[in-house]
């Protein structure tokens, strides 16, 4: 596969950002493609008639709309918080960015002189627990980002020709009364055009034939992430196209992830909402915590409270860890009972409108910290505060810098409370000691996925539009003999979600979630009165 690293990553980012700056120009383009477009039959579809049908309550589509779910989706939105034009702009930006990137190599790219490109991306496949019992379906993040489509077994094909004309085509499952009787409505290729704002749509079974025809006509570079696809038949078709054209498949995930890294104003609002939902749910769970409850009950409680605020579901299996369980970073058994003198560490978040939150709080089950717990908690609360203040400052201009600086500061604080030798003075020595007590990175990108855009390096300079976590922790195994007994078996992590907004200011999206020790203690005093 072609190595995108032949050019520095900033060149890739620059190509995409230059296209994003042309959004106002594209808005005119988008407006001209939504009145009449081509359906599966090849004839024009009047989108106004489709809108009229939906407006009168027709429930014939494979996902919620503003007409069937007005409590979730506004009149001008395709999905919660996002308008159709944003998805059209994303597709346009992506293809123009691919073309600009390829042209930066000169007359030839990937061994060919073609100026045309084809990108293919598949939806997620339906997965089963056993037999015919499916898991809750979650769409592929990249596919959803480019289409807004929530149905499985679909394919998006994007092309750009020599004249920089972008064409978008969706291939979807056809309408099938028998299948829809069991699994619910399908949008079908006929209604996909006006709903998703693509130029063309066809039954998914016609993909191989129509893709081959398009390749034969355009002679494009082929972009397809073979390893990330959940559709085996699509993989086979793309490999056949490669053989037919004697071309290599080029990975597109770096381009899509770099677009997803920088949130649009609408995405920022979705991130604010998902973080607010989880924050308020956390506060209620903390206030209701009692000794004798099980970790599993608190798992159910945070799930319930998020869903009651219209979250789709939890963003990941939560960590609900009482006492020494909190020293296991990815503890998800959630089966123990809460004891009065223990701390409870909960790491949870929810998904709303396709965007996720990620929060960790640690609090005393009884409402009272022991002296050792209070010492460590105050230290971690101060450390996290200083880490957030460091964002976009020297020592905090990238996520990697934040991590290194936090490890050093943690080493210094541990030295002050007597858990690290006073004889250590070197930066690397203290940072190493900090890492021994917190052996995970202090930040990761956040967005449609919890560990969002995983191929974007954490040494990328922070800039407006980025969302990420700040989550220092300390984990002291109960078997450790190099620390005083009162500190053993304690795990503490404090995690917030951070946005660098359009003005370049640092927003703590989870600020409503209580974390100051005195605020937590007051919360418990209220519940006991």
């Amino acid at each position: 596969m072609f190595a995108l690293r032949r050019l520095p990553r900033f060149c890739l980012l620059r190509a995409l950002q230059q296209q994003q700056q042309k959004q106002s120009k594209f808005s005119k383009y988008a407006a001209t493609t939504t009145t009449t477009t081509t359906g599966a039959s090849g004839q024009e579809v009047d989108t106004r008639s489709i809108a009229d049908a939906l407006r009168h309550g027709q429930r014939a589509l494979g996902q919620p709309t503003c007409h069937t779910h007005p409590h979730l989706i506004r009149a001008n939105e395709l999905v919660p918080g996002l308008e159709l034009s944003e998805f059209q702009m994303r597709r346009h930006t992506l293809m123009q960015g691919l073309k600009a990137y390829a042209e930066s190599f000169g007359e030839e790219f990937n061994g060919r002189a073609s100026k045309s490109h084809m990108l293919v991306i598949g939806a997620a496949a339906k997965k089963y627990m056993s037999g015919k019992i499916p898991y809750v379906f979650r769409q592929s993040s990249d596919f959803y980002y480019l289409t807004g489509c929530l149905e499985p077994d679909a394919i998006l094909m994007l092309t750009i020709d020599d004249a920089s004309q972008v064409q978008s085509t969706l291939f979807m499952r056809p309408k099938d009364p028998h299948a829809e009787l069991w699994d619910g409505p399908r949008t079908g290729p006929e209604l996909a055009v006006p709903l998703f704002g693509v130029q063309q749509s066809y039954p998914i079974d016609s993909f191989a034939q129509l893709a081959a025809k398009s390749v034969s006509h355009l002679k494009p570079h082929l972009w397809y992430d073979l390893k990330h696809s959940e559709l085996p038949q699509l993989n086979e078709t793309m490999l056949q196209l490669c053989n037919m054209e004697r071309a290599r498949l080029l990975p597109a995930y770096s381009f899509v992830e770099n677009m997803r890294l920088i949130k649009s104003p609408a995405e920022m609002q979705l991130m604010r909402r998902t973080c607010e939902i989880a924050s308020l749910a956390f506060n209620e769970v903390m206030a209701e915590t009692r000794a004798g409850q099980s970790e599993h009950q608190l798992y159910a409680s945070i799930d319930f409270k998020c869903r009651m605020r219209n979250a789709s579901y939890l963003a990941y299996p939560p960590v609900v860890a009482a006492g020494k369980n909190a020293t296991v970073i990815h503890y998800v058994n959630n089966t123990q009972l809460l004891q009065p003198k223990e701390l409870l560490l909960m790491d949870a978040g929810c998904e709303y409108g396709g965007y996720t939150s990620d929060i960790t709080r640690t609090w005393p089950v009884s409402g009272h910290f022991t002296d050792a717990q209070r010492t460590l908690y105050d230290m971690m609360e101060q450390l996290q505060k200083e880490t957030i203040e460091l964002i976009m400052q020297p020592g905090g201009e990238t996520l990697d810098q934040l991590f290194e600086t936090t490890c050093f500061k943690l080493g210094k604080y541990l030295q002050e409370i007597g858990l690290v030798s006073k004889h250590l003075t070197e930066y690397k020595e203290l940072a190493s000691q900090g890492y021994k007590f917190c052996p995970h990175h202090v930040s990761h990108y956040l967005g449609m996925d919890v560990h969002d855009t995983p191929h974007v390096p954490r040494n990328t300079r922070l800039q407006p539009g980025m969302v990420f976590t700040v989550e220092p922790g300390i984990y002291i195994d109960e078997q450790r003999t190099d620390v005083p007994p009162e500190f053993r078996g304690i795990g503490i992590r404090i995690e917030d979600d951070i946005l660098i907004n359009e003005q370049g200011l640092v927003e703590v999206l989870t600020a409503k979630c209580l974390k100051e020790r005195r605020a937590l203690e007051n919360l418990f005093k209220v519940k006991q009165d």
Side-chain angles (χ1 to χ4, degrees):
M1 299 177 76
F2 182 78
L4 291 180
R5 293 181 181 176
R6 283 178 57 187
L7 274 187
R9 180 170 294 273
F10 71 84
C11 294
L12 184 154
L13 276 166
R14 184 187 304 155
L16 292 171
Q17 289 171 348
Q18 285 174 347
Q19 295 306 318
Q20 287 172 324
Q21 290 169 1
K22 299 178 181 178
Q23 179 175 355
S24 59
K25 177 180 178 182
F26 177 62
S27 297
K28 179 180 179 182
Y29 161 83
T32 65
T33 61
T34 56
T35 302
T36 57
T37 39
T38 306
S41 64
Q43 297 180 350
E44 288 187 341
V45 177
D46 188 343
T47 63
R48 289 171 297 183
S49 63
I50 298 296
D52 288 341
L54 293 173
R55 191 174 294 111
H56 287 91
Q58 181 177 334
R59 306 174 73 90
L61 303 182
Q63 64 187 67
T65 69
C66 61
H67 307 290
T68 60
H69 294 70
H71 59 294
L72 297 176
I73 304 174
R74 295 176 182 174
N76 58 339
E77 295 174 344
L78 171 59
V79 293
L82 294 171
E83 297 181 6
L84 176 63
S85 60
E86 180 144 346
F87 291 97
Q88 292 175 306
M89 181 272 292
R90 290 170 179 174
R91 296 192 288 264
H92 186 82
T93 297
L94 174 60
M95 296 310 292
Q96 295 289 355
L98 286 179
K99 185 176 176 67
Y101 178 78
E103 289 176 351
S104 69
F105 284 84
E107 291 299 317
E108 284 199 1
F109 172 70
N110 194 32
R112 308 178 73 188
S114 174
K115 301 298 182 183
S116 299
H117 299 263
M118 174 188 288
L119 180 144
V120 175
I121 183 169
K126 203 170 183 179
K127 302 177 182 67
Y128 293 85
M129 298 183 195
S130 62
K132 296 181 180 180
I133 309 302
Y135 285 105
V136 174
F137 178 74
R138 186 183 188 276
Q139 186 59 278
S140 158
S141 295
D142 285 349
F143 184 83
Y144 180 73
Y145 180 80
L146 293 170
T147 64
C149 176
L150 292 170
E151 295 188 50
D153 303 320
I155 301 170
L156 173 67
M157 183 175 77
L158 298 174
T159 62
I160 185 169
D161 60 18
D162 290 354
S164 295
Q165 295 298 309
V166 176
Q167 184 86 351
S168 55
T169 306
L170 263 178
F171 296 84
M172 303 190 70
R173 302 171 302 173
K175 300 290 289 182
D176 182 335
H178 178 73
E180 293 178 67
L181 172 66
W182 289 93
D183 298 324
R186 297 178 177 183
T187 299
E190 292 81 9
L191 298 181
V193 168
L195 182 63
F196 302 114
V198 294
Q199 279 83 18
Q200 300 178 101
S201 60
Y202 298 94
I204 192 168
D205 289 345
S206 64
F207 172 75
Q209 176 185 355
L210 293 177
K213 181 178 179 181
S214 184
V215 166
S216 177
H217 172 66
L218 292 174
K219 301 296 182 182
H221 300 285
L222 297 175
W223 299 84
Y224 179 70
D225 296 314
L226 190 69
K227 293 182 179 179
H228 298 165
S229 174
E230 296 183 9
L231 305 178
Q233 190 169 350
L234 178 57
N235 285 350
E236 293 177 12
T237 299
M238 294 306 296
L239 288 173
Q240 289 171 2
L241 289 177
C242 279
N243 293 333
M244 179 179 76
E245 288 298 307
R246 297 181 180 178
R248 291 180 291 175
L249 292 178
L250 306 173
Y253 61 82
S254 292
F255 290 89
V256 181
E257 287 190 10
N258 275 285
M259 288 177 64
R260 286 173 49 191
L261 179 67
I262 307 300
K263 308 299 187 287
S264 70
E267 289 179 292
M268 292 182 195
Q269 283 299 103
L270 283 167
M271 290 303 303
R272 292 183 181 106
R273 181 57 183 151
T274 188
C275 289
E276 180 184 44
I277 290 172
S279 296
L280 297 177
F282 255 88
N283 289 344
E284 292 181 3
V285 171
M286 289 190 287
E288 296 170 6
T289 302
R290 300 289 190 278
Q293 292 176 319
S294 72
E295 296 165 340
H296 180 72
Q297 286 174 298
L298 297 187
Y299 176 162
S301 183
I302 191 72
D303 187 14
F304 171 75
K305 293 177 186 300
C306 286
R307 289 177 189 254
M308 288 299 289
R309 292 178 168 87
N310 286 329
S312 299
Y313 30 68
L314 293 183
Y316 50 92
V319 174
V320 187
K324 64 182 181 181
N325 294 335
T327 65
V328 179
I329 296 171
H330 282 165
Y331 173 83
V332 292
N333 290 340
N334 304 333
T335 54
Q336 290 291 333
L337 296 179
L338 280 60
Q339 302 302 320
K341 293 185 178 181
E342 292 179 331
L343 294 179
L344 189 287
L345 185 155
M346 177 181 283
D347 184 339
C350 65
E351 181 169 314
Y352 174 82
Y355 289 77
T356 62
S357 48
D358 184 3
I359 302 174
T360 306
R361 291 292 185 265
T362 309
W363 65 93
V365 171
S366 66
H368 302 286
F369 290 89
T370 66
D371 289 342
Q373 291 169 352
R374 184 181 301 107
T375 297
L376 291 179
Y377 191 88
D378 286 348
M379 179 184 73
M380 297 309 297
E381 185 184 339
Q382 180 63 25
L383 177 62
Q384 200 227 20
K385 178 183 177 182
E386 292 179 3
T387 302
I388 292 173
E389 291 174 347
L390 195 63
I391 292 170
M392 299 184 76
Q393 306 298 322
E397 295 174 307
T398 70
L399 298 189
D400 278 346
Q401 287 183 19
L402 280 177
F403 175 54
E404 293 168 7
T405 305
T406 301
C407 284
F408 168 72
K409 286 177 173 286
L410 178 56
K412 287 285 289 182
Y413 278 131
L414 289 169
Q415 195 176 55
E416 290 177 11
I417 65 174
L419 299 190
V420 167
S421 172
K422 301 288 186 181
H423 298 94
L424 300 179
T425 58
E426 296 293 328
Y427 181 94
K428 288 185 177 180
E429 291 177 328
L430 288 168
S432 176
Q433 289 299 315
Y435 181 71
K436 288 181 180 179
F437 284 84
C438 180
H440 61 72
H441 206 292
V442 76
S443 301
H444 59 78
Y445 302 115
L446 187 66
M448 300 183 75
D449 295 320
V450 178
H451 285 257
D452 205 46
T453 59
H455 299 95
V456 176
R458 293 192 233 207
N459 62 3
T460 302
R461 185 174 291 274
L462 298 176
Q463 58 183 290
M466 290 185 177
V467 180
F468 51 92
T469 64
V470 173
E471 50 180 304
I474 183 169
Y475 314 93
I476 305 176
D477 189 88
E478 63 176 343
Q479 301 299 325
R480 291 189 68 156
T481 58
D482 59 339
V483 298
E486 62 268 25
F487 291 105
R488 298 172 192 169
I490 295 178
I492 296 173
R493 182 165 67 252
I494 306 173
E495 177 181 19
D496 282 296
D497 301 338
I498 308 299
L499 163 68
I500 303 175
N501 66 24
E502 295 163 293
Q503 291 74 42
L505 301 177
V506 175
E507 283 188 39
V508 181
L509 298 178
T510 47
K512 290 184 179 180
C513 189
L514 299 179
K515 67 178 176 182
E516 293 183 359
R517 177 173 57 81
R518 289 182 178 83
L520 293 176
E521 291 170 337
N522 289 335
L523 177 67
F524 290 107
K525 286 179 182 178
V526 170
K527 81 174 184 181
Q528 292 169 354
D529 291 341

